[in-house]
Amino acid sequence: MNRVDTAIHRIQDLRPKDFTLTNLDDELASMTLIRALPDKFSGFASYLLLMDKLEKATIQQAFVTEESQNCHCASAAPNVTSALAALSSHTPVPPTLLCMFCGMNNHMQAECSRYLDSQEKAKKSVH
């Protein structure tokens, strides 16, 4: 019983003073949304978990943005494929790398300085 009481006090000490049940419900909803993502969205989930606050509205907006981006990419894929096919007969097209964290070209998430900085910041905030 003492260990449980100590753990509860630690949890209470870690949360902000103005933390309410509504905040808890929002965080639980946010975590549920993130955990429900399929494996192919692991980079997106990592990005969301690095956010300072797990506000439900922010997470939902990120989901909408990600979905619209994926739909845009999927609808543009046939046009891009046909354009690349036409170009490939003339000149080779080097593949481009796209970072799933920052959205910039020419590097992957594992090499992204913004991702690595955010990851380090998250680790420090846990300690």
Side-chain angles (χ1 to χ4, degrees), residues 31-64:
M31 287 303 297
T32 302
L33 287 169
I34 294 169
R35 296 291 297 162
L37 287 169
D39 288 340
K40 70 178 185 175
F41 291 101
S42 62
F44 178 60
S46 295
Y47 161 74
L48 293 174
L49 291 171
L50 289 173
M51 296 175 73
D52 288 337
K53 293 183 179 180
L54 289 176
E55 294 175 344
K56 185 178 170 186
T58 306
I59 300 295
Q60 287 175 331
Q61 182 59 46
F63 269 63
V64 169

Side-chain angles (χ1 to χ4, degrees), residues 17 52 56 73 81 91 95 101:
K17 297 296 180 206
D52 288 337
K56 185 178 170 186
C73 290
T81 304
T91 57
F101 183 77

Side-chain angles (χ1 to χ4, degrees), residues 12-24 27 53 55:
Q12 290 170 342
D13 290 342
L14 289 173
R15 66 180 179 220
K17 297 296 180 206
D18 60 345
F19 196 78
T20 64
L21 284 176
T22 304
N23 299 116
L24 177 63
E27 279 195 17
K53 293 183 179 180
E55 294 175 344

Side-chain angles (χ1 to χ4, degrees), residues 74-88:
S75 66
N79 297 335
V80 171
T81 304
S82 61
L84 287 176
L87 285 174
S88 65

